[in-house]
Amino acid sequence: MGVEIGQKVAERFQRYVRYDTQSAEDSESYPSTEKQKDLGKLLVDELKQLGLEDATIDQYGYVTATLTANTKRIVPTIGLIAHMDTSPDVSGTNVKPYVHKNYAGQDIVLTGDTKQIIRLSECPELKEQLGNDLITSDGTTLLGADDKSGVAEIMEALDYLTKRPEVEHGTIKVAFTPDEEVGMGVEHFDVSKFGAKFAYTMDGGAPSEIENETFCADSVTITFLGVSMHPGFAKGKLVNAVKLASEFLEKLPKNTDSPETTEEREGYVHPHTIQGGIEETIVKFIVRDFEFEGLKRREESLRALAEETVRNHPRSDFTFEVKESYRNMKYVLDKHPEVVENAMRAARMAGLQPKLHRIRGGTDGARLCYMGLPTPNLGSGTQNPHSKIEWVSIQDMKKATELIVNLVKVWAEANRV
Ligand SMILES: [Zn+2]
């Protein structure tokens, strides 16, 4: 073949990670940091250079563009999505990408901070990378493979498709989003304007992993209400909400149902904040379960424990508030099995053995599923995200790029009449 798939993906990737696009929690603005738009503007320029004339960045920082169909067949419009921001947990300022060629199985000591070591013993994924070329930061910052590898792969796939017009495809919509890492990635995303029928986020680990399941997630706020009284004259009158909350927390299961005691398919309830005083003490939870019924069961058991607590204390009370966070995307994806099946086919065509994965968390795709856009998550190659020992291999980024190209072909082919 004339043009190799993913030829310039590493170059692109290293260009993008030099842009500091760290998002921020508790920001008043959208996007949460203005600097994310700098990468957005670069991407608009590059998309236009590729011939995607309608490439644009809007007031929220969403970059969108269209690769027009080159087939007369009726093919559903497919979306490709990656996020531009990096985690607020680790600095993304002055990222210096470093290529470790021909990985030979050693521990990798990062040059800018030799305390940062990627150890083979702690990172089994490294065993798959013998002979490959790995990219890391210098150890003083994160790398930003999450999710600039996804951005680079989508750009590179578009580059290939525009140079190879004989590859038939339907309309492809592209979106690069801000603020994913602060849970706001699709806050202002206009699904109907985007115009895709199905989409894929490129924001996972190994390219063979197809993520089609997330938790069902809610947050629960329980407010215990006591009665305040001068402690000198409080006998038989004061009811201490601090103690109510503590009594309640003691009732929680000790060896099960928490993040620190569960894995795989198990759900949990997780008290993460407690604040207040005599009159009012608030306990905040996140609740997670892969099944909707399981989620509701966990919430009801929290309510029952709170009821049990106040029952023993006349004049005490509590309020109980549930807020929906996101739902398991599988409920939506199962109604459109071709979305995941086509990704599996595309992975096999790239010589990979696809594995379905569930995420003990959420994705922007999970939200998009419930906004009317079924969107599983595909592997972009990122390992050790949100850390100074983050890495990605060039070969994985090439595979992921190839997978995207295959996916586009599969959709055009599956709809051949
Ligand atoms: Zn990500």
Side-chain angles (χ1 to χ4, degrees), residues 83 85 146-147 180-181 203 386:
H83 66 90
D85 64 316
D146 177 10
D147 183 27
E180 191 271 351
E181 299 292 2
D203 191 20
H386 303 195

Side-chain angles (χ1 to χ4, degrees), residues 59-298:
Q59 67 193 108
Y60 303 114
Y62 292 110
V63 173
T64 51
T66 312
L67 179 66
T68 313
N70 65 0
T71 176
K72 293 245 156 16
R73 295 199 184 89
I74 298 160
V75 177
T77 298
I78 298 303
L80 300 170
I81 302 171
H83 66 90
M84 298 182 287
D85 64 316
T86 61
S87 167
D89 295 343
V90 184
S91 168
T93 305
N94 200 8
V95 172
K96 296 185 203 72
Y98 187 87
V99 181
H100 308 257
K101 285 218 154 99
N102 196 8
Y103 176 65
Q106 76 279 21
D107 290 350
I108 301 171
V109 182
L110 301 183
T111 51
D113 175 1
T114 50
K115 286 199 292 297
Q116 301 295 335
I117 302 169
I118 310 175
R119 293 195 165 83
L120 187 62
S121 59
E122 290 164 7
C123 197
E125 291 81 7
L126 276 176
K127 288 197 194 87
E128 319 281 316
Q129 301 290 345
L130 293 176
N132 286 352
D133 308 311
L134 311 184
I135 307 184
T136 67
S137 73
D138 70 352
T140 63
T141 64
L142 48 62
L143 174 63
D146 177 10
D147 183 27
K148 286 161 187 166
S149 58
V151 174
E153 289 150 11
I154 292 171
M155 290 297 291
E156 194 62 12
L158 293 171
D159 191 338
Y160 179 84
L161 291 168
T162 53
K163 289 192 173 70
R164 295 285 298 265
E166 71 274 20
V167 178
E168 268 189 275
H169 58 81
T171 301
I172 309 296
K173 292 278 179 178
V174 185
F176 299 124
T177 59
D179 284 351
E180 191 271 351
E181 299 292 2
V182 290
M184 301 285 277
V186 295
E187 192 67 12
H188 296 281
F189 192 75
D190 188 337
V191 167
S192 66
K193 196 173 150 205
F194 186 51
K197 191 146 187 247
F198 308 110
Y200 299 88
T201 48
M202 296 299 300
D203 191 20
S208 58
E209 292 172 5
I210 297 167
E211 298 179 327
N212 68 331
E213 255 201 282
T214 55
F215 272 139
C216 289
D218 282 345
S219 62
V220 171
T221 303
I222 306 174
T223 306
F224 288 95
L225 303 167
V227 179
S228 179
M229 199 61 68
H230 187 294
F233 315 96
K235 188 169 182 187
K237 295 176 188 150
L238 184 142
V239 182
N240 189 342
V242 173
K243 290 186 179 172
L244 294 172
S246 132
E247 198 179 313
F248 161 78
L249 287 169
E250 261 311 293
K251 293 176 193 288
L252 290 176
K254 299 273 186 299
N255 303 312
T256 56
D257 303 275
S258 63
E260 61 273 31
T261 57
T262 53
E263 60 181 356
E264 306 273 329
R265 269 204 86 81
E266 299 164 326
Y268 58 75
V269 297
H270 179 45
H272 60 87
T273 303
I274 178 163
Q275 63 194 53
I278 310 292
E279 284 212 307
E280 193 177 284
T281 294
I282 299 168
V283 185
K284 290 184 182 173
F285 280 83
I286 60 168
V287 183
R288 301 289 186 262
D289 200 291
F290 282 99
E291 307 291 334
F292 178 72
E293 295 74 23
L295 185 76
K296 291 295 138 189
R297 216 180 324 109
R298 287 176 194 285

Side-chain angles (χ1 to χ4, degrees), residues 6-58:
Q7 224 169 10
K8 296 190 301 297
V9 72
E11 210 178 291
R12 267 184 202 289
F13 172 73
Q14 293 179 76
R15 183 158 69 241
Y16 302 157
V17 296
R18 288 173 196 275
Y19 283 75
D20 180 356
T21 56
Q22 190 180 45
S23 49
E25 305 274 5
D26 304 319
S27 166
E28 300 284 304
S29 62
Y30 197 101
S32 64
T33 54
E34 195 63 18
K35 59 189 176 185
Q36 297 180 60
K37 287 185 179 169
D38 296 342
L39 177 59
K41 284 173 200 154
L42 173 81
L43 292 169
V44 169
D45 286 346
E46 292 192 0
L47 286 161
K48 284 191 171 157
Q49 278 164 30
L50 292 177
L52 279 65
E53 296 295 341
D54 69 340
T56 181
I57 178 166
D58 70 10

Side-chain angles (χ1 to χ4, degrees), residues 212-216 290 326-330 359 361-363 366:
N212 68 331
E213 255 201 282
T214 55
F215 272 139
C216 289
F290 282 99
Y326 55 86
R327 295 288 174 257
N328 189 342
M329 61 162 117
K330 193 166 190 289
I359 314 158
T363 63

Side-chain angles (χ1 to χ4, degrees), residues 254-371:
K254 299 273 186 299
N255 303 312
T256 56
D257 303 275
S258 63
E260 61 273 31
T261 57
T262 53
E263 60 181 356
E264 306 273 329
R265 269 204 86 81
E266 299 164 326
Y268 58 75
V269 297
H270 179 45
H272 60 87
T273 303
I274 178 163
Q275 63 194 53
I278 310 292
E279 284 212 307
E280 193 177 284
T281 294
I282 299 168
V283 185
K284 290 184 182 173
F285 280 83
I286 60 168
V287 183
R288 301 289 186 262
D289 200 291
F290 282 99
E291 307 291 334
F292 178 72
E293 295 74 23
L295 185 76
K296 291 295 138 189
R297 216 180 324 109
R298 287 176 194 285
E299 288 163 6
E300 281 320 304
S301 73
L302 282 182
R303 188 196 293 273
L305 291 180
E307 266 163 11
E308 197 183 301
T309 306
V310 301
R311 204 176 300 139
N312 299 328
H313 302 275
R315 292 180 301 127
S316 73
D317 205 352
F318 74 99
T319 64
F320 191 91
E321 191 197 336
V322 180
K323 232 176 107 188
E324 179 175 325
S325 299
Y326 55 86
R327 295 288 174 257
N328 189 342
M329 61 162 117
K330 193 166 190 289
Y331 294 127
V332 174
L333 293 174
D334 280 353
K335 289 185 198 139
H336 309 278
E338 69 275 26
V339 179
V340 169
E341 274 163 22
N342 285 354
M344 305 267 282
R345 250 182 83 190
R348 274 187 221 106
M349 282 162 67
L352 299 165
Q353 284 186 320
K355 291 182 282 288
L356 290 179
H357 251 248
R358 72 182 83 86
I359 314 158
R360 288 178 65 82
T363 63
D364 274 353
R367 284 174 205 271
L368 289 171
C369 281
Y370 289 90
M371 290 162 69

